[in-house]
Amino acid sequence: VKLVESGGGLVQAGGSLRLSCAASGLTLDDYAIGWFRQAPGKEREGISCISSSDSSAHYLDSVKGRFTISSDNAKNTVYLQMNSLKPEDTAVYYCAASTSDTCTSEGMDCWGKGTLVTVSS
């Protein structure tokens, strides 16, 4: 099982980025997929997750209304559309997969290596 994130970069505050998480060795339908981030000097936090049981989406309060998670099963890829980015969104963003249909970091079975998002003010 392998997850590869892409789409990070440098963007000005108010801008947008779309992150991709390309999965191999697994079928998205069978996994919950979560997006997490870790800013310098801070704990990793879960920001969005899509359930495997009902494809429901969940969001951290601070990103609700700005970020959207989606999946393309044909491409075996999960996306995170990020709009109205703020400097405090600066972090390394990771995707992770869980067979237990959980959105907690402890419940994730595999992780990507991350992609850096930097939002300038």
Side-chain angles (χ1 to χ4, degrees):
V1 175
K2 188 176 181 182
L3 301 173
V4 179
E5 304 92 338
S6 62
L10 174 63
V11 63
Q12 288 189 329
S16 298
L17 284 174
R18 188 178 78 159
L19 304 184
S20 299
C21 173
S24 58
L26 62 84
T27 302
L28 287 182
D29 281 345
D30 297 333
Y31 287 76
I33 304 294
W35 283 98
F36 299 79
R37 68 186 180 188
Q38 187 165 21
K42 295 190 176 181
E43 299 270 328
R44 183 172 57 197
E45 62 179 353
I47 54 173
S48 186
C49 185
I50 190 163
S51 168
S52 59
S53 59
D54 60 5
S55 297
S56 59
H58 307 275
Y59 299 95
L60 184 69
D61 284 348
S62 62
V63 307
K64 279 181 182 176
R66 299 190 298 123
F67 291 10
T68 303
I69 191 171
S70 63
S71 65
D72 184 335
N73 287 1
K75 295 183 178 180
N76 230 30
T77 299
V78 176
Y79 302 98
L80 185 69
Q81 178 68 43
M82 307 188 296
N83 298 328
S84 302
L85 283 161
K86 304 175 181 181
E88 52 264 43
D89 294 318
T90 295
V92 178
Y93 284 70
Y94 302 89
C95 65
S98 170
T99 56
S100 306
D101 200 20
T102 179
C103 291
T104 64
S105 60
E106 294 80 9
M108 294 296 160
D109 298 301
C110 58
W111 293 80
K113 293 186 177 181
T115 186
L116 177 63
V117 171
T118 304
V119 184
S120 64
S121 57

